Amino acid sequence: MSADHQKRENLIADLLLHNIYKTKDGRHLYELSLQDLEQQFQDILSPSAQEKPLNNI
């Protein structure tokens, strides 16, 4: 398993732990690239995201 594949799987697991299953536009996490997953994760951790429900990311 490549390092990128492992990182992608870890990001998906972390997002699922935050009850994130899809993006705002309805894409499933498994459809996203590593770069898109990283962006989704950063969006969760940003201070403004704390004011919004997490499942709306």
Side-chain angles (χ1 to χ4, degrees):
M1 183 181 300
S2 72
D4 282 348
H5 183 76
Q6 185 63 47
K7 186 174 182 179
R8 187 174 179 277
E9 290 298 317
N10 289 342
L11 283 168
I12 290 171
D14 288 340
L15 288 165
L16 291 173
L17 286 174
H18 285 91
N19 295 320
I20 306 299
Y21 304 104
K22 293 183 178 182
T23 62
K24 281 185 190 179
D25 61 3
R27 292 183 295 160
H28 291 274
L29 297 180
Y30 290 100
E31 298 173 14
L32 301 177
S33 67
L34 176 58
Q35 191 173 35
D36 288 341
L37 284 168
E38 289 172 334
Q39 183 60 52
Q40 289 293 313
F41 195 74
Q42 288 302 317
D43 289 347
I44 289 174
L45 298 178
S46 70
S48 63
Q50 301 302 319
E51 300 167 8
K52 298 184 245 176
L54 289 177
N55 60 355
N56 288 338
I57 290 181

